[in-house]
Amino acid sequence: QKEVEQNSGPLSVPEGAIASLNCTYSDRGSQSFFWYRQYSGKSPELIMSIYSNGDKEDGRFTAQLNKASQYVSLLIRDSQPSDSATYLCAVNQQVQEKLTFGTGTRLTIIP
Amino acid sequence: KAGVTQTPRYLIKTRGQQVTLSCSPISGHRSVSWYQQTPGQGLQFLFEYFSETQRNKGNFPGRFSGRQFSNSRSEMNVSTLELGDSALYLCASSTGATGNTIYFGEGSWLTVV
């Protein structure tokens, strides 16, 4: 079992709809969870961080964490073509400054 | 404030050569970590330095090494380059506290021919 798993996609969503990205992790002691967005040929850019169970909202983005189910998700509301990118889930597994990444989900927003 | 700066951005090396990549972290950040990204393996952790000491290390061969200077700037070196070392090498910085946000530089694209 991979330490951090994501659906590789591609995931296609109509413009204006909600895009839902999911991630599961294996280390139950993980403390910190991050979503990064990566455009083709660019480096990862932090979108959201979440540390406690529940929802965290920032603009059109909502991160959801359920530690009991070892599940973290990212919702993008009112999806825009500029949201088309690969989204990487990253988990800090109690080791200082070491992130374990999923393989990423490629999201395409269809105009 | 300035972000994480990596140099060089692009480089081409021949198999068997060595390469040194440089990273300047965000001002005030004392932790610098390095990642390798390839299409097949995704983003993989190489190592992390904090206050000039290697604190964590990933599962890479000894050909991959790094160091950190007193001003928190870091370098990573890959010796005896192999074709499979072709990748995007990303430097990231943070304050060093567990769970703190990690910010990435733009990366160094290495092609080994």
Side-chain angles (χ1 to χ4, degrees), chain A residues 72-83:
Chain A
V72 60
S73 67
L74 179 70
L75 300 177
I76 306 174
R77 291 182 300 281
D78 187 24
S79 296
Q80 302 296 310
S82 60
D83 295 327

Side-chain angles (χ1 to χ4, degrees), chain B:
Chain B
K1 67 185 171 184
V4 181
T5 304
Q6 292 187 244
T7 57
R9 291 293 320 282
Y10 305 92
L11 65 167
I12 300 174
K13 290 287 187 179
T14 303
R15 193 169 48 181
Q17 287 186 314
Q18 73 161 13
V19 66
T20 299
L21 308 177
S22 180
C23 173
S24 293
I26 292 171
S27 178
H29 284 190
R30 296 169 63 190
S31 169
V32 173
S33 48
W34 290 89
Y35 291 80
Q36 181 198 64
Q37 187 173 33
T38 60
Q41 298 297 320
L43 259 165
Q44 293 187 289
F45 174 80
L46 281 157
F47 31 65
E48 184 246 349
Y49 287 86
F50 181 82
S51 292
E52 302 180 65
T53 300
Q54 186 181 86
R55 209 163 50 165
N56 297 294
K57 190 176 189 305
N59 297 321
F60 279 81
R63 299 186 297 108
F64 292 82
S65 62
R67 59 177 175 169
Q68 186 180 33
F69 303 96
S70 58
N71 61 358
S72 294
R73 192 176 68 85
S74 176
E75 290 181 346
M76 70 161 283
N77 184 78
V78 187
S79 63
T80 319
L81 284 166
E82 300 176 359
L83 297 179
D85 296 332
S86 296
L88 174 64
Y89 289 88
L90 291 159
C91 172
S93 80
S94 74
T95 61
T98 300
N100 247 2
T101 302
I102 294 173
Y103 298 92
F104 285 90
E106 293 188 337
S108 293
W109 289 92
L110 171 64
T111 300
V112 182
V113 297

Side-chain angles (χ1 to χ4, degrees), chain A residues 56-107:
Chain A
K56 178 182 178 182
E57 186 174 319
D58 184 0
R60 297 186 295 112
F61 299 94
T62 299
Q64 299 174 317
L65 175 61
N66 184 326
K67 289 187 177 181
S69 300
Q70 296 174 242
Y71 173 91
V72 60
S73 67
L74 179 70
L75 300 177
I76 306 174
R77 291 182 300 281
D78 187 24
S79 296
Q80 302 296 310
S82 60
D83 295 327
S84 297
T86 296
Y87 288 80
L88 297 161
C89 172
V91 176
N92 185 311
Q93 299 175 304
Q94 300 190 88
V95 177
Q96 293 160 317
E97 309 316 276
K98 175 188 175 183
L99 291 179
T100 300
F101 284 85
T103 53
T105 298
R106 195 170 69 187
L107 173 66

